[in-house]
Amino acid sequence: MPSSSTELEETPVKAAAPAVEPKKKSKTPETLRGFRDVLADEQAAWEKVEELARSMTRAYGFNRIRMPVLEQTALFERSVGKDTDIVEKEMFTFVDQGGVKMTLRPEGTAQAARAYIEHGMVSQSQPVKLWYFEPFFRHERPQAGRYRQFYQWGLEAFGSDDPVVDAQIILMAQRFCRDLGLDVIVQVNSLGTPVSRKDYIAELAKYFKQHKKLLSETDLKRLTKNPLRLLDSKEPGMEALKADAPQIFDYLDEVSKQHFMKVLEYLDETEVPYALNPYLVRGLDYYTKTTFEIVLNTASSPELEGMALGGGGRYDGLVPLLGGRENTGGVGCAMGIERLVLAMKAANVMPPRRERTDVFFCQLGEGARRKGLAIYEKFREGGIAVGEAFGKGTLKAQLEIADKLKVPLAVILGQKEVLDGTIILRDMESGAQEIVDAAKVVGIVAKRLKDVADEKAAA
Ligand code: ATP
Ligand code: MG
């Protein structure tokens, strides 16, 4: 379920949709509903996203962690919260052959906290800063930018209460999107400490109880179980009702207020564009103080405008809740990779496919093909990117491909050359050909490529 007012509208779907959509009357198995293959056209974008994640985390001193996809169900029930959408209806949970109840992880923060405690990271220098880039699973209603398996780039910093850490994580998330060519704005809020929140929740419940008649069945349930979730509600009529509801700012205790002011000051200082959003409660119970979302700001594609690309916040109670040391603060965020790529497509900032070919290898006849495989290897070991079309028979067809790839050089191996231990070198621009020693061809090609590059640089 959406956790901010800027979520993509959900399109109604029939209640019990089948796990596999009966698209065609075919017996060939297809991907499960909400799952997808990432094909060649998106790989350059995914790689760019992952490389940027890697370089940013290195610059900010985060260490990578790789965590299992399966965890004990109790981990999420205890940390995310029993009355949240994730735990109530989005988890893929099953009992394995050994009778153990397990869950395909729906998010990474609880997992990272588990790892922090389990591996005694409390004894390292604090904060311990971790990052991951991995798939997560939620049994949600599939729609644009919402899948049942999706990737997140996650950042978690454990062991510091300092608002500068909150600001730094928000800054990283915003700069990350900006560097990918996306126009985003940060929405921020503070949920205060659990104690200060209690008073607020009581007031909020009181307010909505007065307007009980206007609430939908879902919202009535929220009112009794988890009134804060009402601020998340997208039910008709709620916008107006929420506008008059008590606001959390007025209930923050002094510590939370100070903390929040500091975070905002740091954001001002670093010129991170942000907007205050008092309804930003986020879908997980463990948040304290700062919460935020990175929201797309794109007039060019109205259907994606306001989509949350990522979000996070502070979770000071999480480590203690899972049995770790008291007073271990933490703050983190997670960016959704599929949504980032979707936004990159819409903003026309998809990087070009990265296919570098230096030289094209043509072969004629079975002997040449066999020999060709070995020569191809030599080129690869020499760091030269070779194109080939081993499947094509005629020289004409192969040279056509070489032309399309715009390579400066082609090497041609025929039956005669195989017997002589030679190979033909063809300048693709002039069409001039010469015969060279096959054993030396990698060195010769490397030299020619360097000459071509030097000429280009000089021009
Ligand atoms: P939403 O409000 O969109 O449901 P959320 O608050 O549940 O998001 P988080 O748990 O904070 O999201 O996850 C952070 C980011 O991960 C989201 O902003 C989004 O980009 C991505 N994300 C979350 N759920 C999905 C999903 N089912 N499919 C694709 N991306 C997702
Ligand atoms: Mg959600």
Side-chain angles (χ1 to χ4, degrees):
M1 271 304 278
S3 61
S4 85
S5 54
T6 52
E7 188 46 37
L8 282 176
E9 281 311 309
E10 302 211 346
T11 41
V13 170
K14 274 184 224 100
V20 181
E21 263 192 347
K23 284 186 215 154
K24 285 181 233 147
K25 274 188 200 145
S26 149
K27 290 215 175 79
T28 311
E30 294 178 352
T31 49
L32 293 163
R33 190 170 139 79
F35 290 74
R36 69 191 284 263
D37 300 313
V38 179
L39 301 179
D41 61 325
E42 279 188 16
Q43 295 303 339
W46 279 72
E47 271 164 31
K48 183 171 177 179
V49 169
E50 189 163 0
E51 270 160 31
L52 187 59
R54 201 172 288 146
S55 67
M56 282 197 84
T57 44
R58 195 178 298 131
Y60 284 93
F62 283 70
N63 284 313
R64 187 163 191 166
I65 183 167
R66 294 176 201 261
M67 302 175 289
V69 292
L70 283 170
E71 294 275 0
Q72 291 182 27
T73 304
L75 170 64
F76 304 110
E77 285 177 347
R78 268 170 71 180
S79 56
V80 175
K82 284 226 181 226
D83 299 326
T84 58
D85 286 331
I86 290 184
V87 171
E88 262 190 348
K89 49 191 185 207
E90 295 175 1
M91 296 206 301
F92 285 92
T93 295
F94 61 94
V95 177
D96 82 346
Q97 293 87 330
V100 180
K101 193 173 169 196
M102 47 185 73
T103 293
L104 272 170
R105 56 173 181 199
E107 60 104 44
T109 304
Q111 236 189 341
R114 195 251 323 121
Y116 173 87
I117 301 166
E118 190 169 334
H119 303 289
M121 294 185 208
V122 64
S123 61
Q124 298 175 8
S125 132
Q126 309 288 304
V128 170
K129 300 198 272 187
L130 305 173
W131 74 280
Y132 46 84
F133 193 103
E134 296 183 348
F136 294 88
F137 307 84
R138 294 184 196 172
H139 201 284
E140 298 193 70
R141 226 156 35 174
Q143 53 181 300
R146 195 178 292 286
Y147 303 97
R148 289 182 174 175
Q149 172 175 334
F150 56 96
Y151 278 73
Q152 283 187 340
W153 174 46
L155 299 168
E156 314 288 351
F158 294 98
S160 172
D161 297 330
D162 200 316
V164 75
V165 187
D166 309 39
Q168 195 178 52
I169 284 188
I170 296 174
L171 170 91
M172 284 175 78
Q174 184 266 336
R175 294 293 201 267
F176 180 74
C177 294
R178 187 199 65 182
D179 290 355
L180 289 172
L182 302 173
D183 186 6
V184 295
I185 183 156
V186 182
Q187 297 198 348
V188 271
N189 191 21
S190 175
L191 296 181
T193 56
V195 180
S196 69
R197 193 156 64 217
K198 235 189 199 149
D199 291 340
Y200 173 65
I201 293 173
E203 281 305 309
L204 194 68
K206 204 164 111 195
Y207 168 81
F208 280 110
K209 262 180 209 145
Q210 288 164 4
H211 299 89
K212 234 176 168 169
K213 283 198 193 106
L214 300 171
L215 297 184
S216 69
E217 207 175 308
T218 319
D219 281 340
L220 282 172
K221 224 183 268 164
R222 287 182 172 133
L223 180 57
T224 47
K225 282 184 145 182
N226 199 342
L228 212 52
R229 288 279 94 74
L230 286 164
L231 296 178
D232 247 1
S233 173
K234 302 281 184 301
E235 302 285 320
M238 277 301 271
E239 269 327 296
L241 212 49
K242 280 188 322 193
D244 288 333
Q247 295 219 345
I248 192 143
F249 290 134
D250 303 326
Y251 292 79
L252 293 182
D253 57 19
E254 207 41 46
V255 180
S256 305
K257 228 181 254 171
Q258 287 301 327
H259 187 98
F260 194 39
M261 293 318 289
K262 276 272 176 231
V263 173
L264 298 182
E265 268 171 41
Y266 294 131
L267 295 182
D268 285 330
E269 187 66 33
T270 45
E271 293 179 13
V272 171
Y274 67 85
L276 303 179
N277 177 355
Y279 304 126
L280 193 65
V281 292
R282 318 248 326 117
L284 308 100
D285 273 357
Y286 52 59
Y287 285 113
T288 52
K289 296 183 182 160
T290 320
T291 56
F292 66 91
E293 254 174 25
I294 312 290
V295 171
L296 198 59
N297 196 8
T298 167
S300 58
S301 48
E303 74 282 6
L304 299 184
E305 171 86 49
M307 179 172 71
L309 299 180
R314 181 162 275 283
Y315 40 77
D316 289 342
L318 182 58
V319 168
L321 181 79
L322 291 174
R325 197 179 64 180
E326 285 304 315
N327 302 319
T328 307
V331 53
C333 91
M335 306 297 300
I337 309 305
E338 286 80 1
R339 290 192 197 174
L340 285 164
V341 173
L342 208 63
M344 285 164 77
K345 265 188 202 162
N348 240 329
V349 292
M350 289 288 274
R353 274 201 200 191
R354 232 181 316 176
E355 280 165 15
R356 183 182 66 118
T357 314
D358 300 321
V359 57
F360 197 83
F361 182 86
C362 307
Q363 39 66 38
L364 293 161
E366 179 52 29
R369 202 169 295 145
R370 198 175 315 137
K371 186 92 185 149
L373 279 171
I375 293 180
Y376 193 95
E377 263 311 281
K378 286 223 171 71
F379 274 114
R380 196 183 60 77
E381 285 163 6
I384 295 172
V386 197
E388 51 83 13
F390 285 131
K392 295 263 191 266
T394 70
L395 184 60
K396 185 164 171 281
Q398 295 180 67
L399 286 175
E400 270 171 19
I401 298 172
D403 256 337
K404 269 196 204 127
L405 290 172
K406 297 197 169 61
V407 285
L409 292 171
V411 289
I412 305 166
L413 191 64
Q415 300 291 26
K416 180 167 180 307
E417 288 75 30
V418 171
L419 293 175
D420 292 352
T422 57
I423 194 162
I424 298 168
L425 194 59
R426 180 186 173 101
D427 182 310
M428 289 300 290
E429 203 180 293
S430 67
Q433 299 195 162
E434 65 187 291
I435 295 169
V436 302
D437 183 350
K440 292 185 184 150
V441 69
V442 175
I444 297 170
V445 166
K447 166 105 188 27
R448 291 285 166 85
L449 288 172
K450 189 173 174 300
D451 292 346
V452 172
D454 288 349
E455 260 170 50
K456 254 193 203 154

